[in-house]
Amino acid sequence: MKNTFGNNLTITLFGESHQDYIGATLDGLPAGIFIDEKYIEHMMEFRKPKGNISTARKESDKVEIISGLFENYTTGTPLTILIKNENVISKDYDDLSHIARLSHCDYSAYMKYLGFNDYRGSGHFSGRLTAAIVACGAICMQVLSLKDISIFSHIKKIGNINDEAFDSCNIDHLARQIDIIKDAYFAVIDQRQKEKMLAKIEETRLAQDSIGGIVESIVYNMPVGVGEPTFDSLESVISHAIFSIGGIKAVEFGDGIEMSSMIGSIANDPFRIINDKIVTTTNHNGGINAGISNGMPIIVNSYIKPTPSIMKSQSTVDFKQMKNCEYQINGRHDPCIVHRARIVIDSMIAISICDMLITRYGQLYFNGGFKKCAE
């Protein structure tokens, strides 16, 4: 089982939803980077369930860094994070050990691991493990901030309700948009659409169903020239990272799917020099040409399916007894995960961007050289 992502900066995930701990190891972080653990706590808040629009499972999600950090500075050795599972109700899964829940990992994981997998709460496949991803992402965001690179996301769509898109070619307008969503738990630019989205999620919850949506992300101040032309293109690495998040079913860059209906004269982004800087006047390609960053903001859209765990009775199979059956889930589940997935997407983008920048420029890119030795 491969649980490691990255080339020169890697993240390895471990743990299961109903075991004592989940966690992750970041290997390849530059030495000498100050890490603010309060900032990690702040980022973890965006993933926590709150109110009726989220699962009733509440966890403190206290992040414990057990290696790779000394006096709040990275040591350059593997940094390992532990997060304790505290609110576990395993009995909810007593009758589901051999039932293939729809759109879940049960049957495929049972076959892959010969029946030895921990099925409770989806085990290692659970969205619970994204807490460790967010903790690692918060560290990588602090690393990126040393180069003034920032990542923000908002809920672009819930069901058929749309928020306005990021205006990546108008810096002043974009700054106002980011200011609205950067500290919001339910991050929507147009507040009128936010209320409609919340009402839609509540309507879906009361109907014992679930709903999906789209998260739009932006990487701001990305330097030009990062990415490889073929197998490790910027799109390839970022989408690989985002597809590692459960529930993601499609990833597009810029206008992505819509570009397939455009003509070339519209889809092409004209280059201009404005204030002594090379920019494009449109950003249909999402800040990437030929797999390499072109200096414009990178735009990524992540498509998230409806939460598969719903309260309705559904048809499936008992894969041990090889018979058809019906099942109904009684555990604690989200009617919508889009708003909580936002920070997980930010985190995977941050981890992948850090990896690609270290690959391009080396570890000393972030800490300015051997600054500790020079003191």
Side-chain angles (χ1 to χ4, degrees):
M1 185 174 188
K2 188 175 187 294
N3 297 289
T4 299
F5 167 78
N7 292 310
N8 291 294
L9 173 67
T10 64
I11 176 175
T12 301
L13 280 179
F14 57 85
E16 286 83 27
S17 177
H18 286 222
Q19 300 282 5
D20 289 339
Y21 289 90
I22 58 170
T25 296
L26 278 174
D27 195 5
L29 282 170
I33 305 296
F34 177 79
I35 301 300
D36 183 352
E37 296 189 56
K38 291 291 185 182
Y39 179 80
I40 299 175
E41 292 178 14
H42 176 64
M43 291 294 104
M44 296 295 288
E45 286 295 319
F46 293 118
R47 185 198 161 276
K48 288 183 178 180
K50 299 177 182 180
N52 290 334
I53 61 172
S54 304
T55 175
R57 179 176 178 177
K58 310 296 183 183
E59 298 277 2
S60 65
D61 281 347
K62 180 175 174 55
V63 175
E64 183 180 359
I65 300 176
I66 63 169
S67 69
L69 198 68
F70 180 64
E71 296 179 342
N72 293 111
Y73 285 88
T74 56
T75 63
T77 58
L79 187 149
T80 298
I81 287 166
L82 290 178
I83 301 173
K84 188 170 180 57
N85 291 324
E86 300 170 319
N87 189 2
V88 173
I89 306 177
S90 296
K91 66 180 179 62
D92 286 342
Y93 299 89
D94 288 347
D95 298 327
L96 295 173
S97 62
H98 46 92
I99 302 299
R101 292 174 298 161
L102 305 187
S103 298
H104 274 283
C105 65
D106 303 310
Y107 175 59
S108 52
Y110 178 83
M111 296 300 292
K112 179 175 177 64
Y113 301 113
L114 309 177
F116 290 97
N117 57 297
D118 184 347
Y119 60 85
R120 300 168 302 170
S122 297
H124 186 71
F125 296 86
S126 172
R128 175 76 188 126
L129 273 75
T130 60
I133 290 175
V134 173
C136 291
I139 290 171
C140 288
M141 289 178 197
Q142 293 183 67
V143 175
L144 292 174
S145 70
L146 297 172
K147 292 296 181 179
D148 293 323
I149 300 169
S150 52
I151 301 166
F152 301 99
S153 295
H154 72 110
I155 303 165
K156 188 175 184 179
K157 187 175 184 179
I158 295 288
N160 61 357
I161 304 166
N162 293 279
D163 190 20
E164 68 178 79
F166 280 134
D167 189 351
S168 60
C169 292
N170 185 327
I171 301 305
D172 292 335
H173 187 206
L174 177 62
R176 290 192 293 271
Q177 291 177 317
I178 289 173
D179 192 55
I180 292 170
I181 58 96
K182 65 180 180 181
D183 292 320
Y185 175 71
F186 196 90
V188 180
I189 298 168
D190 185 338
Q191 298 303 293
R192 296 168 298 179
Q193 300 303 94
K194 173 182 175 179
E195 295 307 316
K196 293 178 184 178
M197 290 179 182
L198 288 169
K200 186 65 175 179
I201 295 173
E202 177 63 6
E203 174 189 325
T204 305
R205 183 185 72 85
L206 293 174
Q208 297 186 326
D209 220 321
S210 62
I211 195 166
I214 304 171
V215 168
E216 183 184 37
S217 307
I218 189 166
V219 183
Y220 191 67
N221 273 339
M222 184 72 179
V224 183
V226 178
E228 303 301 327
T230 311
F231 301 115
D232 279 339
S233 70
L234 203 50
E235 295 107 325
S236 299
V237 175
I238 293 174
S239 58
H240 183 176
I242 295 174
F243 273 125
S244 301
I245 304 167
I248 302 293
K249 299 306 293 183
V251 177
E252 70 175 351
F253 294 84
D255 288 335
I257 296 167
E258 186 180 342
M259 289 182 73
S260 66
S261 301
M262 293 180 182
I263 56 175
S265 58
I266 298 298
N268 289 337
D269 297 315
F271 283 102
R272 304 296 293 168
I273 297 174
I274 299 176
N275 296 327
D276 296 322
K277 182 180 179 181
I278 296 176
V279 299
T280 60
T281 55
T282 59
N283 196 17
H284 300 301
N285 287 277
I288 303 172
N289 293 138
I292 300 168
S293 57
N294 65 15
M296 290 296 289
I298 296 172
I299 298 291
V300 189
N301 289 301
S302 302
Y303 291 70
I304 303 168
K305 70 179 183 180
T307 317
S309 296
I310 61 176
M311 302 295 285
K312 292 179 180 291
S313 178
Q314 299 181 92
S315 299
T316 188
V317 298
D318 182 322
F319 50 79
K320 283 187 179 179
Q321 299 185 39
M322 290 299 290
K323 67 178 184 180
N324 296 322
C325 65
E326 300 287 318
Y327 83 108
Q328 186 172 6
I329 291 177
N330 296 310
R332 303 164 296 173
H333 306 285
D334 297 80
C336 180
I337 62 169
V338 177
H339 58 289
R340 297 178 64 204
R342 161 205 173 206
I343 191 62
V344 186
I345 293 166
D346 283 354
S347 297
M348 286 308 301
I349 293 174
I351 292 165
S352 60
I353 293 293
C354 269
D355 180 29
M356 297 207 72
L357 287 169
I358 291 172
T359 299
R360 175 77 168 96
Y361 300 113
Q363 286 193 340
L364 301 185
Y365 174 71
F366 287 109
N367 62 17
F370 300 98
K371 63 178 184 181
K372 185 72 173 179
C373 298
E375 292 176 355

